[in-house]
Amino acid sequence: MGIWKPAWLEALETQKFFVACSFHENAKKNEKNICCLDCCTSICPHCVPSHRFHRLVQVRRYVYHDVVRLEDLEKLIDCSNVQSYTINSSKVVFLKKRPQSRQFKGSGNICTSCDRSLQEPYIHCSLGCKVDYILRQKKDLSPYLRTCEALQLSPDFFIPHDADDEANETTQSTVVEGEEPIGSSDSENLSVPCTEFVRKKRSGLSACSRSVSRVSDEDMAANMSRRKGIPHRSPLC
């Protein structure tokens, strides 16, 4: 019997995440941070409406590596003995191997595949390490797989609106009812309110300047009143 992996597991291990989506190059927030388990491909938030009936898993980044919530993976495969980490109050598991460059010193366990130091009682540092260990030792992954018919993104996951819809909403919000487009009316009618505004603005500025000058004159008068008298010199002997 040959070594067999489910297609969705191969996708989690081989697909590239956090790269720009080719279908939404000009859209904002177009990084591929979702894996469609039914299509076995990585997608961006703009692609979610097209995969809304598929099983979706959000992929996150932690220390420059891809991670997935432990709660989501536990619905697909047995993740026991895989060391988890806490990010934003959620436990996550690394997807791929993370070889350790430094030699391990001290107490604790060592990963069965990449020799990374681990906390007890864990023996795998990532899901990929556990899968490789099972296939290497037992040659059969099926006892660890679980049946999952539906898997959706968390409710707090942000799904942006379509770019065309956003453009239409922006255009409609900027048009005010009752306004006439510039250029369709007479130029004289348009120039009148502008002239009045300039006059009001100038009058306001002049009033401010007059008030400033008046205050400055009063201050100068007060300063003059507070000056001491001319000092008298002592008579020459």
Side-chain angles (χ1 to χ4, degrees), residues 51-98:
H51 301 259
R52 59 184 178 273
F53 298 115
H54 298 173
R55 295 175 299 170
L56 304 177
V57 171
Q58 180 184 1
V59 180
R60 306 182 186 185
R61 264 289 167 92
Y62 181 63
V63 198
Y64 304 103
H65 293 278
D66 299 335
V67 297
V68 175
R69 287 198 312 172
L70 179 61
E71 180 183 356
D72 295 336
L73 284 180
E74 283 285 357
K75 299 176 182 178
L76 301 167
I77 189 172
D78 180 17
C79 295
S80 59
N81 297 326
V82 179
Q83 182 167 331
S84 60
Y85 300 84
T86 303
I87 303 176
N88 297 333
S89 303
S90 300
K91 288 187 176 183
V92 298
V93 171
F94 285 96
L95 291 178
K96 304 174 184 179
K97 294 182 178 180
R98 299 176 299 126

Side-chain angles (χ1 to χ4, degrees), residues 71-230:
E71 180 183 356
D72 295 336
L73 284 180
E74 283 285 357
K75 299 176 182 178
L76 301 167
I77 189 172
D78 180 17
C79 295
S80 59
N81 297 326
V82 179
Q83 182 167 331
S84 60
Y85 300 84
T86 303
I87 303 176
N88 297 333
S89 303
S90 300
K91 288 187 176 183
V92 298
V93 171
F94 285 96
L95 291 178
K96 304 174 184 179
K97 294 182 178 180
R98 299 176 299 126
Q100 185 167 321
S101 57
R102 298 181 182 180
Q103 187 177 3
F104 172 67
K105 295 181 181 180
S107 60
N109 296 338
I110 299 178
C111 181
T112 55
S113 299
C114 62
D115 297 332
R116 175 173 285 273
S117 60
L118 302 173
Q119 300 175 358
E120 295 183 354
Y122 304 108
I123 59 175
H124 310 292
C125 73
S126 66
L127 178 63
C129 291
K130 178 172 183 176
V131 171
D132 290 348
Y133 175 79
I134 294 174
L135 295 178
R136 188 171 61 250
Q137 296 294 328
K138 303 181 180 180
K139 308 296 182 179
D140 187 12
L141 195 62
S142 56
Y144 299 88
L145 299 177
R146 296 172 178 174
T147 303
C148 179
E149 299 295 339
L151 186 60
Q152 296 297 324
L153 301 172
S154 58
D156 59 345
F157 184 80
F158 175 73
I159 301 177
H161 297 288
D162 189 68
D164 296 334
D165 295 338
E166 289 182 353
N168 294 334
E169 291 175 1
T170 305
T171 305
Q172 293 176 2
S173 62
T174 53
V175 177
V176 181
E177 296 182 358
E179 284 189 352
E180 296 181 358
I182 297 176
S184 61
S185 60
D186 297 336
S187 59
E188 296 178 358
N189 297 334
L190 292 175
S191 60
V192 172
C194 296
T195 307
E196 293 178 355
F197 174 77
V198 173
R199 288 176 181 175
K200 291 181 180 179
K201 186 174 181 181
R202 288 179 178 176
S203 61
L205 291 175
S206 60
C208 293
S209 61
R210 286 196 298 271
S211 61
V212 170
S213 61
R214 182 167 58 254
V215 171
S216 60
D217 294 341
E218 294 176 356
D219 293 340
M220 290 179 63
N223 292 334
M224 291 294 293
S225 63
R226 287 197 298 267
R227 289 183 60 183
K228 297 181 180 179
I230 301 174

